[in-house]
Amino acid sequence: MALVEIRDVRKSYGGVVPVLNGITLDVEEHQVVCLIGPSGCGKSTLLRCINGLETIDGGEIRLHGDRVSGPGVDQDALRRDVGIVFQSFNLFPHMSVLDNITAAPVKVLGQSKAEAKERAMELLARIRLDQKAGEFPDRLSGGQQQRVAIVRALAMDPIVLLLDEITSALDPELVSEVLDIVRDLRSEGMTMVLATHEMGFAREVSSKVCFLYGGVVHEEGPPSQIFSDPRDERTRAFLQRIIEAGRL
Amino acid sequence: MDDTSDASQPPRIRAPRPTREWKPAPPKSAKGLATAALGVVAILIAVGLLTASTVRDGLASVGFEEGWATAGLFGIVAVFLLLFVPALKGFSCASRADRTAKIDVAEARAETAAAREQSWLAIGYTAAAAIVLIFGLFLVANEVAVGRTFFDLSLIFETFHLVGKAFWVNIEIFVIAEILVLIWGLVIAVARLAPGRAGAPVRLIATAYVDLFRGLPAIIAIYLVGFGLPLTDLPILRDMTPTMFAILALTLTYGAYVSEVYRSGIESVHWSQTAAARSLGFSHTQTLRFVVVPQAVRRIIPPLLNDFISLQKDTALVSVIGTVDAFNQAKIIASNHFNLSSVTTVAVLFVLITIPQARLVDRLIERDQKRMRAGG
């Protein structure tokens, strides 16, 4: 049994714009799964469905064998265990870095302030931002903000971490400091699902790459196979364009 | 297109662009503007002299004849003479520009620019001085009728303690009402944002309330509450004072306005902030409380203060239910003395309390903008 089982998931916006047209995908524990594909293929929507930010119209999603989609599911409880990091960081601008990280552990998990702070400082030290604990997010660079956002999600000790194009809003020279954290997390065995346009990175870190197109998984396999020997015609065309753009 | 003929012709080369000549244009003369500036300054001084002598005669007619007052009046007109400085400077720059236009275009341009600047400076200040003059004339017209009706200083000083004391009633009403409005408005705003199908009736009632009290003129709300509720003889209500009814009526009315301010503030917080909060496991209520409302409140301070200033001014309406506030007190004095100067006192008091509030909010906004420029 896979940690996350996605079975024939369908989703449309307003009942008219189909986004996911029957996605089936397994994420094993300690796996890093990369979702690649052109814009609008449903990568972000799929991630948002996994932690219940979007409701799905059909199919089901299971976490540890327990159905977490559909009516009657405690979505607040689900989101406690499934962390997500967004493309645009979405830090809370009215809170300091430290409060951004400790807010949820204190208010949602009921940790004591001291306990949450200790854990937050530990995490901040790991990303070498412990000096910035008292700063407000607008004083940080994009890369630093995104690192804080990752730490904010980690402070909830998630079972799975979803990363939604976390480097797309960053200046090129800031990308690597964020990707380094993802590498670290991988080496610790964190289960992650990434939607990404960083093909080189996907090739390096993923256990499995899924090519999404038109709301369907067109091809999936180990990165070595997908990137050097894509079998699906659309995957080939997509990768060809990426190579022509000098991004692989 | 015929292929063969195309191939036989030599490749077309575009002719190089002809070099265009650039002739520096001499500046347009500023002499007309400078002359106009001199003219308006001269007119201002003439009118100023006329006004000063009228005011002197007016003061004399009310038995106020002092050397220093006359000196002061004509001193003000003498200050107007200073306006000749930029006007003359402008004129001389303009003439110099005209002379050098043929010799040194750059020099002429600089002189013209200086001439324009000086002329406009003279004209601008002259316009401002003229407005002050017209107001002065209005005050002293008809043997200082306007001045005596609105600004009878002796009456103002004599009745100030009465009006000032009554103004505390206005302050009491608006301070209590503002506190209640802050809470009540937020309750209504959150009710209007109640989620899901179960929240629909709550949303409906809150919307109906806002529609009702936004459409109802404050004076009618005060009248109905202040005169109507005591007649019902219900417990609690029958023991309330007119001031308490005034506070209740203003809270109901302004609660509706302020709830809309809160709601727009809450809706202005980008949905990605809600997504981030929900993704960390915050519930709907927690998301509002810890993430959305704190950000909304910072943004709504300016519109909120505007509503508060209007609320403060509307405390003058409570005179319709017989509360003796500053305006009511002043009206009593005005009818006793057949003179409106005590009402002027109230007007000045209202203006004086709003100015510091406006400055305070400017400072708050500036501070907040500095701190969270990145705001979601």
Side-chain angles (χ1 to χ4, degrees), chain B residues 278-308:
Chain B
R278 295 307 296 269
S279 79
L280 289 165
F282 283 112
S283 66
H284 173 81
T285 317
Q286 285 177 319
T287 302
L288 274 178
R289 179 162 160 222
F290 299 118
V291 177
V292 179
V293 172
Q295 291 183 54
V297 165
R298 287 170 166 80
R299 290 178 202 186
I300 62 172
I301 287 173
L304 199 60
L305 195 94
N306 279 334
D307 279 351
F308 274 6

Side-chain angles (χ1 to χ4, degrees), chain B residues 133-148:
Chain B
L133 256 185
I134 289 166
F135 184 68
L137 272 173
F138 177 66
L139 280 183
V140 299
N142 195 13
E143 297 187 335
V144 211
V146 176
R148 271 185 295 195

Side-chain angles (χ1 to χ4, degrees), chain A residues 48 51 53 76 79-80 82-84 86 88 90-95 100 103-104 107-108 136 138 152-153 156, chain B residues 271-273 275-284 286 290-291 294-295 298 369-376:
Chain A
R48 296 167 67 86
N51 82 339
L53 281 175
D76 293 342
R79 295 188 191 118
R80 254 174 257 157
V82 180
I84 186 164
F86 302 93
S88 51
N90 301 3
L91 293 179
F92 306 131
H94 62 299
M95 295 185 192
N100 260 283
K107 312 280 201 250
V108 177
F136 282 83
D138 69 317
R152 180 173 71 172
M156 295 293 285
Chain B
W271 59 265
S272 66
Q273 287 287 311
R278 295 307 296 269
S279 79
L280 289 165
F282 283 112
S283 66
H284 173 81
Q286 285 177 319
F290 299 118
V291 177
Q295 291 183 54
R298 287 170 166 80
Q369 277 175 343
K370 261 185 208 156
R371 217 185 56 186
M372 20 180 271
R373 246 161 306 149

Side-chain angles (χ1 to χ4, degrees), chain B residues 9-271:
Chain B
Q9 265 169 20
R12 281 179 57 200
I13 298 167
R14 261 178 82 182
R17 247 170 211 277
T19 318
R20 276 184 54 210
E21 230 174 277
W22 162 249
K23 255 199 202 143
K28 242 166 87 182
S29 172
K31 206 121 182 214
L33 182 69
T35 315
L38 274 174
V40 292
V41 173
I43 292 170
L44 176 78
I45 285 163
V47 177
L49 283 171
L50 195 74
T51 312
S53 56
T54 320
V55 171
R56 189 193 51 199
D57 297 347
L59 288 176
S61 76
V62 292
F64 186 83
E65 226 168 342
E66 300 260 2
W68 61 264
T70 313
L73 280 170
F74 286 95
I76 292 171
V77 180
V79 172
F80 291 168
L81 284 172
L82 285 177
L83 291 173
F84 270 121
V85 175
L88 285 169
K89 244 190 219 166
F91 192 79
S92 76
C93 286
S95 339
R96 233 173 311 159
D98 286 355
R99 276 201 305 279
T100 50
K102 293 258 163 53
I103 310 156
D104 184 348
V105 176
E107 174 75 19
R109 278 192 192 133
E111 292 286 1
T112 307
R116 281 183 194 286
E117 161 124 37
Q118 294 295 334
S119 303
W120 279 118
L121 196 73
I123 292 171
Y125 276 87
T126 304
I131 289 165
V132 173
L133 256 185
I134 289 166
F135 184 68
L137 272 173
F138 177 66
L139 280 183
V140 299
N142 195 13
E143 297 187 335
V144 211
V146 176
R148 271 185 295 195
T149 307
F150 293 102
F151 302 101
D152 186 333
L153 288 177
S154 62
L155 186 63
I156 285 176
F157 286 125
E158 198 182 304
T159 60
F160 183 80
H161 69 283
L162 282 174
V163 176
K165 214 171 113 191
F167 195 65
W168 279 110
V169 176
N170 295 72
I171 294 178
E172 184 195 339
I173 292 173
F174 75 65
V175 168
I176 299 175
E178 279 170 6
I179 294 166
L180 295 176
V181 159
L182 275 182
I183 301 162
W184 182 233
L186 183 60
V187 170
I188 302 294
V190 172
R192 284 197 78 173
L193 296 167
R197 275 172 62 193
V202 179
R203 289 199 296 269
L204 189 74
I205 289 178
T207 309
Y209 167 82
V210 172
D211 286 350
L212 176 67
F213 277 91
R214 259 204 322 184
L216 189 65
I219 194 163
I220 295 177
I222 292 169
Y223 200 86
L224 289 175
V225 169
F227 282 141
L229 290 185
L231 295 177
T232 59
D233 204 28
L234 293 166
I236 304 175
L237 287 181
R238 68 178 163 224
D239 301 326
M240 282 168 62
T241 63
T243 307
M244 287 158 89
F245 283 119
I247 292 170
L248 178 64
L250 286 171
T251 305
L252 288 172
T253 304
Y254 277 88
Y257 286 116
V258 169
S259 80
E260 286 296 277
V261 172
Y262 271 120
R263 197 166 67 107
S264 69
I266 287 170
E267 283 175 351
S268 79
V269 176
H270 199 257
W271 59 265

Side-chain angles (χ1 to χ4, degrees), chain A residues 51-127:
Chain A
N51 82 339
L53 281 175
E54 304 280 0
T55 52
I56 61 176
D57 303 336
E60 63 175 19
I61 300 173
R62 286 174 179 274
L63 183 66
H64 270 316
D66 179 27
R67 191 174 54 80
V68 293
S69 60
V73 173
D74 182 351
Q75 294 191 321
D76 293 342
L78 164 68
R79 295 188 191 118
R80 254 174 257 157
D81 289 336
V82 180
I84 186 164
V85 180
F86 302 93
Q87 178 176 348
S88 51
F89 332 139
N90 301 3
L91 293 179
F92 306 131
H94 62 299
M95 295 185 192
S96 68
V97 165
L98 184 64
D99 289 342
N100 260 283
I101 300 167
T102 59
V106 171
K107 312 280 201 250
V108 177
L109 300 180
Q111 290 180 9
S112 75
K113 278 203 174 129
E115 190 187 348
K117 185 181 169 183
E118 196 189 318
R119 171 95 172 106
M121 292 310 292
E122 212 176 278
L123 287 165
L124 279 173
R126 262 185 53 185
I127 57 168

